[in-house]
């Protein structure tokens, strides 16, 4: 009887305690100059008072009948450290809190690849300590229904925490922190081999014909779930009340099963995430790297969909065709330049910094001139350059749709293309295969985005789910 009474008293005491979700913890970074929500659980009707170190005015609220409480606070300009005290029947104190810029780093294995795996990130480990960069790593979790919490803790960037955190995210955050000189919070929410369909709410994934087709044909794999919405439920939904500045995204390899749908899926993901966060935040992403998949056009078409998705407002894409050390490894070993290029977009577009040229040259238009085709490019104000004596990965075709290797001559931001075997050219393709090694760049060293000028049917059909 005494044991039972002790158990009941202990349970009642635990129930009465004010508690917080894991994303609200000591060492965290909160988004500057915005309305943030501090929330958690307690007994119904329990009064909870929240006092933030940057203001002398405490805020009190009564816990609702679902045992949930929440308060809104306005954060100041970047700074800190601060403390936040939450008092109900018990007292919770969060310490060493910074105010700055918070970015979500999401996608699959090339985003997940940690500081202990990427070669250039491993070289950073001995000197990685930076108290103005903080990490939050979300554990993998797929669920059928939206969750209210994730496991995890905020950690100061150092040689230990970097070992288990996204290398791309780290290099992105490091450049932001060095340039802006303010605290940076990074949330690593990645899952190797994951489908974009799983990161989108199921109702959205099944809403459009293209996304529904993609969701219904996701191949089975032992390393990631193949159901729509389950990663959104388990990993995204619990943190949507935590304000962020924006998202960086590295994913697409898994969605090659339905490359044409990837464009609509990207729109669906960005729109749905912006909706649940109630913020039109920037979304910067990585075009998938060259790798010898062995297919003819699936990978090229996936990259094409990624390029088209740049029509999303406040979005941007970096190209990685020059950042691959081994075409037979789907995980390029170096991530520093990937993070730096993403940061270039954020610094220029989100923070208004003068970082020089940060966009890759992009095909704009073509003009047939006899037996040649002249291509014009955007984002090459100082012209194009060739690394090597002959251009690689360039093809030209007549109306018979048979492509031949092409030659080229650079004139400023235009490219004159021809082949002695093609007399009446109508189309050009550049880097349009699974593992291209192109050598055409802007003068600033950014690779030209792979492209094709035609819209001919590639014969792609979704890979059926076995």
């Amino acid at each position: 009887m005494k044991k039972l009474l002790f158990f009941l008293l202990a349970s009642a005491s635990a129930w009465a305690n004010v508690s917080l979700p894991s994303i609200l913890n000591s060492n965290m970074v909160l988004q500057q100059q915005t309305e943030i929500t501090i929330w958690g659980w307690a007994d119904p009707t329990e009064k909870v008072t929240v006092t933030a170190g940057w203001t002398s005015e405490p805020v009190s609220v009564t816990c609702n009948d679902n045992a949930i409480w929440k308060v809104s606070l306005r954060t100041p300009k970047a700074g800190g450290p601060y403390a936040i005290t939450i008092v109900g029947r018990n007292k919770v104190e969060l310490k060493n809190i910074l105010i700055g810029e918070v970015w979500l780093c999401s996608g699959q294995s090339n985003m997940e690849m940690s500081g202990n795996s990427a070669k250039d990130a491993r070289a950073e480990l001995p000197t990685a300590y930076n108290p103005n960069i903080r990490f939050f790593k979300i554990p993998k979790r797929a669920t059928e229904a939206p969750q209210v919490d994730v496991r995890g803790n905020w950690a100061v960037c150092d040689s230990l925490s970097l070992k288990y955190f996204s290398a791309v995210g780290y290099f992105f955050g490091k450049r932001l922190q060095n340039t802006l000189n303010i605290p940076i919070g990074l949330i690593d929410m990645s899952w190797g081999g994951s489908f974009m369909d799983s990161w989108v709410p199921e109702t959205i994934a099944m809403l459009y014909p293209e996304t529904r087709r993609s969701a219904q044909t996701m191949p089975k794999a032992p390393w990631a779930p193949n159901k729509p919405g389950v990663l959104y439920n388990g990993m995204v939904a619990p943190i949507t009340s935590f304000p962020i500045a924006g998202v960086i995204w590295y994913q697409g390899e898994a969605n090659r099963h339905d490359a044409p749908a990837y464009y609509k899926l990207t729109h669906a993901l960005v729109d749905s995430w912006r909706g649940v966060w109630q913020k039109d935040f920037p979304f910067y992403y990585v075009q998938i790297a060259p790798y010898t998949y062995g297919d003819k056009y699936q990978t090229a078409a996936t990259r094409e969909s990624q390029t088209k998705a740049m029509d999303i407002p406040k979005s941007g894409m970096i190209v990685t065709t020059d950042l691959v050390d081994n075409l037979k490894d789907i995980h390029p070993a170096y991530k520093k330049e990937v993070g730096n290029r993403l940061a270039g977009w954020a610094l220029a577009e989100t923070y208004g910094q003068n970082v020089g040229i940060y966009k890759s040259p992009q095909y704009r238009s073509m003009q047939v001139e006899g037996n040649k085709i002249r291509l014009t490019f955007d984002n090459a104000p100082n012209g194009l350059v060739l690394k090597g004596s002959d251009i690689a990965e360039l093809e030209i075709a007549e109306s018979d749709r048979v492509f031949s290797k092409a030659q080229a001559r650079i004139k400023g931001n235009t490219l004159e293309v021809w082949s002695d075997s093609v007399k009446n050219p109508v189309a050009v393709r550049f880097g349009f295969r699974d593992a291209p090694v192109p050598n055409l760049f802007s003068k600033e060293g950014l690779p030209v985005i792979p492209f094709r000028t035609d819209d001919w049917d590639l014969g792609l059909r979704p890979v059926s789910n076995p």
Side-chain angles (χ1 to χ4, degrees), residues 88-162:
R89 291 194 177 97
N90 61 308
K91 179 179 179 180
V92 178
E93 188 171 13
L94 308 182
K95 301 177 180 178
N96 196 25
I97 297 167
L98 299 180
I99 308 293
E101 293 291 297
V102 181
W103 284 80
L104 180 62
C105 316
S106 190
Q108 56 183 102
S109 55
N110 276 300
M111 182 63 79
E112 184 182 8
M113 193 172 181
S114 70
N116 203 36
S117 299
K119 290 181 180 179
D120 42 12
R122 282 205 303 269
E124 298 260 326
L125 293 177
T127 58
Y129 175 69
N130 187 333
N132 286 310
I133 298 177
R134 308 288 174 85
F135 298 147
F136 189 92
K137 172 74 174 179
I138 297 180
K140 296 174 182 177
R141 191 181 187 189
T143 62
E144 296 293 335
Q147 302 298 296
V148 297
D149 200 4
V150 293
R151 302 182 305 277
N153 291 288
W154 283 91
V156 174
C157 172
D158 60 21
S159 57
L160 179 61
S161 60
L162 177 55

Side-chain angles (χ1 to χ4, degrees), residues 212-273:
R212 184 164 58 250
R213 182 187 68 214
S214 176
Q216 291 172 339
T217 58
M218 282 188 284
K220 291 181 179 178
W223 48 79
N226 71 332
K227 292 183 178 181
V230 292
L231 300 189
Y232 172 83
N233 291 338
M235 300 172 71
V236 182
I239 66 165
T240 56
S241 293
F242 192 85
I244 59 175
V247 174
I248 57 171
W249 175 262
Y250 193 163
Q251 192 276 343
E253 296 92 339
N255 279 88
R256 292 167 47 260
H257 72 285
D258 193 348
Y262 195 82
Y263 167 79
K264 187 67 174 180
L265 262 176
T266 307
H267 274 263
L269 179 131
V270 175
D271 289 346
S272 62
W273 284 17

